[in-house]
Amino acid sequence: MSTRDQLRTLLQRYARAADERDMDTLATLFHPDAEIIGSRGAQTLSEWLTSMRAPRAFPASMHMMGEPLVTLEDDSDHATMDTYAVVYQLGDARADQGNLTMGVDYHDEVVLERSQWAFRRRTMTTRWMQ
């Protein structure tokens, strides 16, 4: 598999694990010293995983990841990716909760460690929501 395909797979594995709230898989996708910056500010991997374990505001979500813009030097163990995504947050219809749709930009710094790509620094910016 090409390096770019490996990086695309990393993004897709993240989307699936986030939607399924699969904390074990999420933990494997990030470098142990990762920093995640988003709506809760800057967090360590441990802090971010704790926040992901908290009760969900919406019972279901679905990440639709766009094609990443990858910057990668030949034979490098570092890369950056800029990926647009649409995140559907589905409300609980029985509780008369509406849905929320967000346009998100993930800017990732990734590293190759022990033959596996991992997120080292992730910045998530919400561009719009409706």
Side-chain angles (χ1 to χ4, degrees), residues 79-90:
T80 62
M81 296 187 292
D82 189 4
T83 310
Y84 287 153
V86 177
V87 181
Y88 299 97
Q89 305 254 358
L90 305 177

Side-chain angles (χ1 to χ4, degrees), residues 17-58:
D19 291 337
E20 294 169 6
R21 291 297 198 252
D22 181 347
M23 297 306 132
D24 293 336
T25 297
L26 284 172
T28 68
L29 301 177
F30 286 83
H31 186 278
D33 296 326
E35 179 181 32
I36 298 98
I37 303 164
S39 61
R40 297 176 188 103
Q43 295 180 302
T44 65
L45 177 59
S46 177
E47 291 167 336
W48 181 76
L49 289 170
T50 296
S51 69
M52 289 293 286
R53 287 183 184 97
R56 299 170 80 157
F58 291 86

Side-chain angles (χ1 to χ4, degrees), residues 118-130:
F119 298 107
R120 178 64 179 86
R121 186 169 198 263
R122 164 165 273 192
T123 303
M124 185 200 89
T125 305
T126 301
R127 298 291 181 192
W128 55 266
M129 64 176 69
Q130 61 179 24

Side-chain angles (χ1 to χ4, degrees), residues 72-83:
L72 172 71
E73 299 291 326
D74 289 338
D75 297 324
S76 178
D77 61 354
H78 291 79
T80 62
M81 296 187 292
D82 189 4
T83 310

